[in-house]
């Protein structure tokens, strides 16, 4: 993998991470059909130089964190695991926010246990809960950080105003919002991340597949003898030094293909064509 890195507080990770959500069962619900294959994807990511994994207690729920521990514990030196809490899964189609301090405190303890960690390197609030004052949710996580259970705090699915509000409570090292060639609605948040030295983790970096259908992307890919996914990921890396893509897949072949995107340099002409 190319040697570019990004900081998560005092930790440094390679720029391309791995989004582990896709190794669970269909709809991110329940165990994968083939547990051994899921372990293989996770282990191959590490072999290829990935040292940042993104997960959440709601993936499965719980299954994703369990798979990571099964496949990789005891963890290799330098591996940074970012997990998230604050979403509940009452059924396979629902992702319900719960940002109550009591829930977040028990969620952190649950992730520590499943991941077999004494301290979580990056704990991200998965989404603001409209029923709970945002400052209460962030404050509860800041309290867990002071208790030594969390090393760094991150946010996900936040507005610029929420990022600023959280930064008044505790240092924030990362933001994870939806961002890809087709959806740049978080451009303002990305600019703030660049300004404050915060890593930006674009979820749906391939638009969950949508970016692969773009004619512009396909044309550039054909000329570079690359795949559309590689062009979409190379564009993200070129877009900002704060960018830490976490493409997800359940396939070793796609994983290998996606990681090779770190070596692709798009020309100024290509970047202009992609807008
Ligand atoms: N914070 C949040 O609210 C939030 C929400 C969603 C996701 N996330 C995180 O962000 C990560 C990335 O998002 P994502 O996995 O949903 O989206 P994504 O990376 O944009 O797309 C993943 C989809 O594209 C396919 N794919 C991956 N590589 C491919 C390739 N080279 N060629 C063709 N198809 C390919 C995968 O299927 P195959 O398995 O067949 O490869 C999968 O269906 C997740 O894993 C998760 O950690 C966070």
């Amino acid at each position: 993998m190319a040697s570019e890195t990004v900081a998560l507080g005092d930790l440094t990770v390679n720029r391309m991470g791995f989004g582990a959500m896709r190794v669970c069962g269909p709809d991110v619900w329940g165990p994968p059909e083939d547990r051994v294959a899921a372990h293989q994807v996770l282990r191959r990511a590490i072999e290829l130089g990935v040292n940042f994994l993104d997960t959440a207690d709601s993936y499965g729920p719980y299954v994703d964190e369990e798979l990571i521990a099964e496949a990789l514990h005891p963890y290799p030196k330098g591996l940074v695991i970012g997990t998230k809490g604050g979403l509940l899964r009452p059924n396979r189609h629902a992702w319900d926010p719960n940002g109550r301090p009591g829930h977040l405190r028990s969620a952190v303890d649950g992730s520590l246990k499943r991941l077999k960690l004494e301290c979580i390197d990056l704990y991200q609030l998965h989404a603001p809960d409209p029923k709970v004052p945002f400052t209460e949710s962030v404050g509860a996580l800041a309290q867990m950080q002071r208790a030594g259970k969390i090393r760094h705090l991150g946010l996900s699915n936040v507005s610029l105003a929420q990022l600023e509000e959280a930064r008044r409570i505790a240092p924030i090292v990362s933001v994870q919002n939806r961002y890809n060639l087709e959806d740049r609605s978080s451009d303002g948040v990305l600019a703030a991340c660049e300004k404050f030295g915060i890593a930006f983790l674009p979820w749906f970096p391939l638009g969950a597949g949508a970016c692969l259908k773009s004619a512009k992307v396909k044309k550039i890919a054909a000329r570079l003898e690359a795949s559309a996914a590689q062009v979409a990921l190379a564009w993200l890396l070129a877009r900002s030094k704060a960018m830490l893509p976490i493409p997800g897949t359940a396939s070793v072949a796609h994983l290998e293909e996606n990681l090779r995107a770190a070596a692709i340099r798009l020309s100024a002409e290509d970047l202009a064509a992609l807008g």
Side-chain angles (χ1 to χ4, degrees), residues 18-22 54-55 59 64 84 87 126 156-157 176-177 180 202-209 212 227 229-230 233 246-251 253-255 257-258:
F18 179 64
M21 181 181 89
R22 301 277 175 184
D54 180 72
T55 181
Y59 299 164
D64 213 54
K84 309 185 224 47
L87 288 181
H126 208 146
S156 182
N157 300 303
Q176 183 174 150
N177 278 7
N180 55 55
W203 63 261
F204 276 4
L206 306 176
L212 312 182
S227 70
Q230 288 172 326
L233 293 169
I246 46 168
T249 178
S251 128
H254 281 167
L255 167 74
E257 175 185 327
N258 295 346

Side-chain angles (χ1 to χ4, degrees), residues 109-144:
D109 286 335
S111 290
L112 280 167
K113 205 168 164 192
R114 282 185 294 278
L115 289 167
K116 302 184 196 287
L117 290 169
E118 284 174 11
C119 176
I120 294 167
D121 279 337
L122 176 67
Y123 195 88
Q124 307 154 95
L125 179 63
H126 208 146
D129 180 346
K131 300 180 298 305
V132 178
F134 185 61
T135 49
E136 283 186 20
S137 302
V138 177
L141 294 180
Q143 199 183 33
M144 299 301 265

